[in-house]
Amino acid sequence: MGVEARAPLVLAVSGASGQPLAERALQRLLEAGEQVELITSRGAITVWQAELGLQVPGEPEAQEQFWRRRTGVSSGVLRCHRWNDQAASIASGSCRTRGMVILPASMGAVGRIAAGVATDLLERCADVHLKEGRPLVICPRELPWNLVHLRNLTTLAEAGARIAPPVPAWYHQPRSLEDMVDFLVIRIFDVLGDELGPLQRWQGPGGRSG
Ligand SMILES: Cc1cc2nc3c(=O)[nH]c(=O)nc-3n(C[C@H](O)[C@H](O)[C@H](O)COP(=O)(O)O)c2cc1C
């Protein structure tokens, strides 16, 4: 593996429902010893409060301590960024990263990225990944999708992003919500070529591939 394999990964969380997916992804990435650049949008901070009663600090240092405590993981490298810090290292294409995952992605963020509008660090960083031709995985969360959402997602797919909606499956026979969250997180990072845990892959009926 070359230098690129050790470059940090950007995990971006926007204000869509499904924040536990982001939290589990962060936990697994840090457990795997990854270097994570974390962006939590302003909308995400609101949703965390509304859905889980969590007060996520906006300031990077306080946020790092918060996630270290909450995930209980001391390994890996975690760097948090202020949602509107357009001067952050990762706002520039000269900063090396090996990809970015937006989990979950709000329709607002999807629309602005598709339009090439960067009003905050998440959108700027996504724009940078597209312009640099680096992997960008977008996990949109909305139901149902209207035509505007579908067109924006198509634009992003045409621009090189991978669209990976957090859609559950039952072939791995989940027994709990945690099983489902783990499956989704591992499958999403599978798209990026990362192995964040054991994935029960479909082997064909009766467990036989072919
Ligand atoms: C509790 C809650 C849940 C939300 N869920 C979604 C959602 O699933 N998908 C979505 O596109 N927007 C959702 N929204 C609306 C977005 O949070 C809102 O459009 C916000 O401006 C997005 O901000 P961001 O794109 O900067 O993260 C939700 C809002 C709240 C308060």
Side-chain angles (χ1 to χ4, degrees):
M1 292 282 205
V3 173
E4 281 306 323
R6 291 196 299 274
L9 191 70
V10 180
L11 175 63
V13 190
S14 69
S17 193
Q19 309 288 314
L21 294 166
E23 190 174 340
R24 190 70 177 123
L26 177 63
Q27 190 174 31
R28 280 195 172 263
L29 286 166
L30 292 175
E31 279 171 357
E34 293 278 359
Q35 185 174 335
V36 182
E37 305 277 344
L38 182 68
I39 309 170
T40 305
S41 78
R42 189 163 56 162
I45 290 176
T46 303
V47 175
W48 244 307
Q49 168 69 50
E51 291 191 341
L52 300 172
L54 270 191
Q55 288 274 10
V56 178
E59 290 308 317
E61 216 169 288
Q63 202 184 111
E64 275 168 40
Q65 290 168 8
F66 174 86
W67 289 122
R68 286 294 187 187
R69 265 198 317 275
R70 194 164 157 86
T71 59
V73 184
S74 55
S75 53
V77 177
L78 174 62
R79 284 180 54 189
C80 297
H81 298 274
R82 242 190 101 74
W83 66 273
N84 60 350
D85 184 7
Q86 300 261 19
S89 54
I90 51 173
S92 166
S94 64
C95 175
R96 297 181 96 165
T97 66
R98 61 184 186 76
M100 173 174 182
V101 177
I102 308 178
L103 173 66
S106 73
M107 293 302 105
V110 163
R112 289 184 295 275
I113 298 164
V117 176
T119 61
D120 64 12
L121 179 59
L122 182 151
E123 290 151 17
R124 168 64 187 164
C125 198
D127 196 54
V128 164
H129 279 74
L130 290 177
K131 86 181 172 73
E132 299 294 331
R134 292 185 206 152
L136 173 63
V137 180
I138 298 178
C139 309
R141 215 304 318 172
E142 190 48 278
L143 190 158
W145 282 332
N146 65 33
L147 189 58
V148 175
H149 301 150
L150 290 166
R151 288 205 167 121
N152 285 335
L153 289 167
T154 302
T155 298
L156 290 169
E158 286 169 347
R162 301 296 306 276
I163 310 301
V167 176
W170 275 263
Y171 62 80
H172 61 108
Q173 299 177 342
R175 287 163 187 260
S176 64
L177 202 52
E178 286 72 27
D179 282 355
M180 193 64 93
V181 166
D182 266 335
F183 170 82
L184 287 169
V185 166
I186 293 167
R187 190 69 187 89
I188 285 164
F189 282 82
D190 205 32
V191 173
L192 204 59
D194 274 27
E195 212 170 297
L196 282 195
L199 185 66
Q200 194 175 328
R201 297 179 190 276
W202 176 242
Q203 301 285 317
R208 287 177 295 116
S209 57

